[in-house]
Amino acid sequence: MYASTVRGLLVRGMLAGLIAGLFAFAVAYVVGEPPVRDSIAVEEAAAAQEAAPASGHAGHGGEAPAAEEEELVSRPVQSTAGLATGVLVYGVALGGIASLAFSFALGRVGRFSPRATAALTAAGAFATVYLVPFLKYPATPPAVGNPDTIGQRTTLFFLMILLSVLLGVGAIVLGRRLAPRLGNWNATLAAGAGFVVATAVAFTVLPANDDAVKPEFPAALLWEFRLASLAVQLVLWVVFAVVFGLLAQRLLATRTDGADVTSRQEAPAVG
């Protein structure tokens, strides 16, 4: 029974992630694509200015600059089908992982209903997987940072995600252990404070991305892109929490009702 319930929650989590991905794609296309296009335009203008002196020298007997390589995927395809595919796959994958985390958390983090547990799971996932790493290493538009350091920046970002998730799990374990002595409320506050302190230490120890954005890049455009990135993630997790909470509530209520009926049928008659 337990395995079938987890399997049912996994399927519903992936479905909820797909639905959440559709909403996130709409936000990414409407709100996120304009700053991406403007960022690419800024980068292309800067590259053209840098190439202008070289082309001038080429006209006086120097070699002509090499032709730019054609993009394998055009920008219209990247901003529509490519963006939709990436966001939907991302939503389905995270929905499946979050549903497994929900299965583990249900009944272990307090006497919450399935909807409330789904909301708490989504909030915790949003905070640890995105918000905390975002505060340390904010999102940057494509073709903006130093391409020579992209590997280092990617490694640092995923390291921050791993640390954030581990610290979040540690905070939950700490809260559960402190609850018998301090009570649920005080234990939650203590665990939350421990998570904040540990995260602050991680922020201090890990190096900063000083070369992620060029100094001449427009600050307003960078701010607009980062707000759009935050909005996409927020919509994704809010929609997932609502949809998955509803689906999980119905599934678990059906399984509970079925178990009650079975137990009454198997109970021996008295008399």
Side-chain angles (χ1 to χ4, degrees), residues 174-191:
L174 178 63
R176 290 188 62 191
R177 299 215 173 157
L178 292 178
R181 287 183 291 173
L182 302 180
N184 290 333
W185 179 252
N186 291 332
T188 301
L189 291 179

Side-chain angles (χ1 to χ4, degrees), residues 188-245:
T188 301
L189 291 179
F195 175 79
V196 172
V197 171
T199 301
V201 172
F203 278 18
T204 304
V205 173
L206 291 177
N209 274 343
D210 295 329
D211 59 348
V213 180
K214 296 179 181 179
E216 63 271 13
F217 190 80
L221 182 56
L222 178 62
W223 181 246
E224 182 182 354
F225 174 83
R226 288 176 173 172
L227 284 180
S229 175
L230 184 61
V232 171
Q233 291 288 332
L234 186 60
V235 168
L236 176 72
W237 286 110
V238 168
V239 174
F240 172 80
V242 173
V243 175
F244 180 69

